[in-house]
């Protein structure tokens, strides 16, 4: 298929660029950095934006969607070409510059979806159905319901996919609970680090099953940056009890007795790295509560610091022990900023006390990041 | 059991096109403080599947 339009402004490759994202059913909301409006993409508009996750020509996007949808290809081309100029105007899509590697892009696209489990979402619906007792069905009737669960429960499937886009509950089953917006944010930070040669390793504290750190290592490997290390920091026994004075101010309790799914052993995380073929000598594990384990760990400069440790004490300790290691131009990502007041307070207090003025940017409704100043 | 499942024809499949229906792509801009609230808490939905 070739482009049917002569509009030269739509020739070349385009790519979606990071913006705060919202997801609900088949709707996607993106906060425009240009107009400040929430740009809502529905149905096929959402699919067009998704197809621009990596650099692509519009005729390539149209060809892919033409195979996906029951429509004349001219109709699809016209639809794509009607939407992209608007996304360009809103700063949500940009002309892609530089080289790209389509195979790497496909690998990373697939990996994100494996980690968030948008590849087999029907299994999660089936588990839920069975956990509810099969709604009174048995025998062949139940087998057919399980087989057809995507058609039987389309609204649940749409909500599940939206939750996986945005990173929220239900989060028990996927290898990463942070969702596609936040995985994309890690990728955006890593690409910037690689492109600008920002010094340092990648580190996440509070890894749960390790999905985000597996993706960090995959980005290093896929971009040929294997000399950088990935630090996997966790108690490997869940969130600590909220018994410190600073944590008792908040009614947040996430320890293993309350949230068993947040506790994952180091053995299991290592096994998951092996499954994804990402365990090598530059993946470093640091086990223990942050205040005890981090001071003794031989952690050098960091290009990406990602904190997902929920509580005030853990978040503040993580920043206190690691922020100075973040290189100029490096990134700090805080997963729980809007999930828990305690996390937001810890970040705001740390930034206030250390005079950090770099602007906080939103990734989705829960998570934020900022870029440390001083890059050459 | 497997054999019986394999032989069944789903009526939904027989009636529908194998490909999804195309609809014109739609973009809506929502201004101001109502913007985020226009999306219900997708990140907090549990919808009873695990209860």
């Amino acid at each position: 298929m070739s482009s049917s339009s002569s509009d030269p402004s739509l020739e070349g490759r385009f790519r979606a660029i990071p913006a705060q994202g919202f997801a609900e059913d088949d709707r996607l909301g993106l906060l425009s950095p240009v107009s400040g409006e929430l740009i809502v993409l529905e149905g096929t508009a959402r699919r067009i934006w998704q197809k621009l996750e990596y650099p692509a020509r519009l005729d390539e996007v149209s060809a892919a969607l033409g195979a996906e949808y029951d429509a004349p290809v001219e109709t699809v081309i016209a639809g794509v070409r009607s939407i992209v100029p608007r996304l360009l105007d809103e700063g949500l899509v940009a002309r892609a510059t530089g080289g790209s590697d389509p195979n790497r892009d496909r690998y990373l696209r697939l990996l994100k979806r494996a980690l968030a489990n948008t590849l087999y979402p029907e299994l999660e619906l089936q588990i839920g159905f069975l956990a509810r007792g099969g709604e009174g069905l048995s025998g062949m009737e139940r087998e057919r319901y399980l087989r057809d669960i995507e058609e039987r429960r389309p609204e649940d499937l749409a909500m599940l996919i939206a939750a996986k886009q945005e990173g929220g509950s239900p989060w028990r089953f996927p290898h990463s609970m942070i969702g596609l917006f936040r995985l994309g944010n890690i990728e955006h930070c890593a690409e910037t680090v690689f492109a600008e040669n920002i010094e340092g390793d990648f580190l996440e504290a509070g890894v749960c099953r390790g999905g985000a750190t597996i993706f960090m290592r995959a980005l290093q490997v896929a971009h040929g940056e294997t000399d950088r290390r990935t630090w996997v920091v966790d108690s490997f026994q869940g969130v600590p009890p909220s018994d410190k004075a600073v944590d008792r101010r908040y009614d947040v309790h996430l320890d293993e007795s309350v949230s068993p799914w947040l506790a994952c052993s180091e053995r299991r995380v290592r096994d998951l790295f092996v499954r994804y073929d990402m365990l090598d000598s530059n993946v470093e594990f640091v086990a223990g509560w942050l205040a005890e384990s981090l001071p003794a760990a031989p952690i050098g400069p960091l290009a990406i610091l990602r904190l997902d440790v929920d509580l005030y004490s853990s978040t503040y300790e993580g920043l206190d022990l690691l922020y100075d290691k973040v290189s100029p131009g490096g990134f700090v990502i805080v997963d729980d900023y809007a999930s828990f007041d305690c996390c937001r307070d810890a970040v705001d207090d740390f930034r206030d006390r250390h005079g950090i003025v770099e602007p906080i940017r939103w990734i989705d409704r829960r998570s934020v990041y900022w870029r440390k100043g001083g890059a050459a | 059991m497997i054999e019986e499942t394999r032989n069944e024809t789903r009526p939904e499949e027989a009636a529908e096109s194998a490909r999804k229906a195309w609809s014109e792509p739609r973009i809506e801009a929502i201004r101001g403080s109502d913007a985020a609230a226009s999306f219900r808490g997708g990140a907090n939905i549990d919808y009873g599947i695990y209860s």
Side-chain angles (χ1 to χ4, degrees):
Chain A
M1 180 189 308
S2 62
S3 169
S4 65
S5 169
S6 59
D7 183 350
S9 68
L10 295 179
E11 300 305 319
R13 294 177 306 135
F14 296 88
R15 186 179 187 186
I17 59 178
Q20 184 184 4
F22 304 73
E24 173 188 297
D25 300 338
D26 74 340
R27 299 199 309 154
L28 200 74
L30 301 165
L31 198 64
S32 166
V34 174
S35 67
E37 296 178 338
L38 187 68
I39 307 301
V40 179
L41 311 177
E42 294 193 44
T44 54
R46 182 188 65 147
R47 288 293 296 131
I48 292 166
W49 180 83
Q50 289 172 330
K51 295 301 289 182
L52 293 172
E53 181 177 356
Y54 292 97
R57 297 194 314 271
L58 299 192
D59 60 341
E60 294 171 330
V61 171
S62 300
L65 296 180
E68 181 176 336
Y69 287 93
D70 189 11
V73 69
E74 293 77 14
T75 302
V76 177
I77 291 171
V80 170
R81 289 182 168 267
S82 72
I83 289 298
V84 170
R86 180 74 186 280
L87 296 174
L88 283 163
D89 289 345
E90 295 289 354
L92 298 171
V93 162
R95 189 173 289 280
T97 57
S100 69
D101 180 341
N103 289 331
R104 180 180 66 201
D105 293 347
R106 283 200 173 218
Y107 165 69
L108 293 171
R109 184 199 300 264
L110 181 64
L111 182 60
K112 280 184 280 190
R113 282 150 183 78
L115 290 164
N117 190 31
T118 61
L119 300 182
Y120 302 92
E122 67 275 15
L123 298 183
E124 298 186 29
L125 296 182
Q126 289 163 346
I127 290 169
F129 172 79
L130 293 170
R132 290 193 304 272
E135 299 181 349
L137 301 179
S138 62
M140 288 303 103
E141 201 175 13
R142 186 176 67 179
E143 292 300 307
R144 292 183 181 110
Y145 195 100
L146 283 167
R147 182 195 63 189
D148 300 339
I149 199 155
E150 292 166 89
E151 290 82 21
R152 302 278 190 178
R153 306 188 78 90
E155 293 177 359
D156 282 353
L157 180 66
M159 282 194 283
L160 182 62
I161 296 296
K164 289 173 176 298
Q165 177 73 52
E166 196 165 328
S169 61
W171 40 259
R172 292 166 177 83
F173 302 118
H175 294 150
S176 174
M177 66 176 77
I178 68 173
L180 296 175
F181 284 135
R182 280 175 248 170
L183 288 167
N185 165 258
I186 295 173
E187 187 167 33
H188 162 69
C189 294
E191 288 179 356
T192 306
V193 162
F194 300 149
E196 299 183 17
N197 200 26
I198 304 298
E199 180 187 17
D201 299 332
F202 297 175
L203 183 149
E204 184 180 54
V207 307
C208 199
R209 266 169 260 188
T213 48
I214 288 169
F215 188 55
M216 285 177 168
R217 187 61 187 155
L219 287 163
Q220 293 172 339
V221 170
H223 285 267
E225 298 268 351
T226 50
D227 287 346
R228 297 179 192 264
R229 289 189 281 188
T230 296
W231 293 87
V232 185
V233 179
D234 202 284
S235 70
F236 299 108
Q237 52 186 299
V239 178
S242 302
D243 52 9
K244 294 182 179 175
V246 290
D247 293 323
R248 286 201 300 268
R249 291 183 290 165
Y250 305 92
D251 190 25
V252 174
H253 302 279
L254 299 165
D255 59 89
E256 203 276 340
S257 68
V258 179
S259 298
W261 288 92
L262 296 179
C264 192
S265 70
E266 181 179 341
R267 169 75 175 269
R268 197 174 299 166
V269 176
R270 283 179 175 272
D271 284 349
L272 207 56
F273 266 83
V274 171
R275 281 194 226 171
Y276 283 91
D277 197 21
M278 280 298 141
L279 189 62
D280 60 47
S281 59
N282 271 347
V283 179
E284 303 276 2
F285 288 77
V286 179
W289 305 122
L290 300 187
E292 299 161 10
S293 64
L294 286 178
I299 300 168
L302 297 174
I304 296 178
L305 165 62
R306 192 173 198 282
L307 294 174
D308 192 354
V309 287
D310 306 291
L311 302 184
Y312 184 103
S313 61
S314 304
T315 302
Y316 200 94
E317 287 164 6
L319 289 168
D320 201 36
L321 292 163
L322 295 170
Y323 191 75
D324 285 347
K325 295 180 184 293
V326 178
S327 300
F331 291 89
V332 180
I333 306 166
V334 182
D335 190 272
D336 303 305
Y337 187 77
S339 294
F340 303 113
D341 289 345
C342 51
C343 177
R344 181 195 293 247
D345 287 352
V347 171
D348 291 349
D349 287 351
F350 184 85
R351 284 169 53 93
D352 287 346
R353 287 171 194 163
H354 292 79
I356 297 167
V357 296
E358 290 91 342
I360 283 179
R361 303 173 194 173
W362 287 88
I363 302 165
D364 51 25
R365 270 182 278 199
R366 294 186 170 200
S367 302
V368 298
Y369 72 114
W370 72 91
R371 190 173 189 196
K372 196 171 185 178
Chain B
M1 177 182 294
I2 292 171
E3 191 63 29
E4 287 188 46
T5 301
R6 186 182 299 150
N7 288 340
E8 192 204 16
T9 300
R10 278 175 283 178
E12 299 93 330
E13 281 194 346
E16 294 177 3
S17 166
R19 292 193 293 169
K20 293 185 284 189
W22 174 265
S23 60
E24 281 305 303
R26 286 187 297 155
I27 288 186
E28 178 189 6
I30 305 176
R31 191 184 302 271
S33 58
D34 291 342
S38 71
F39 276 70
R40 69 169 178 267
N44 294 308
I45 291 168
D46 202 352
Y47 50 81
I49 277 187
Y50 305 106
S51 58

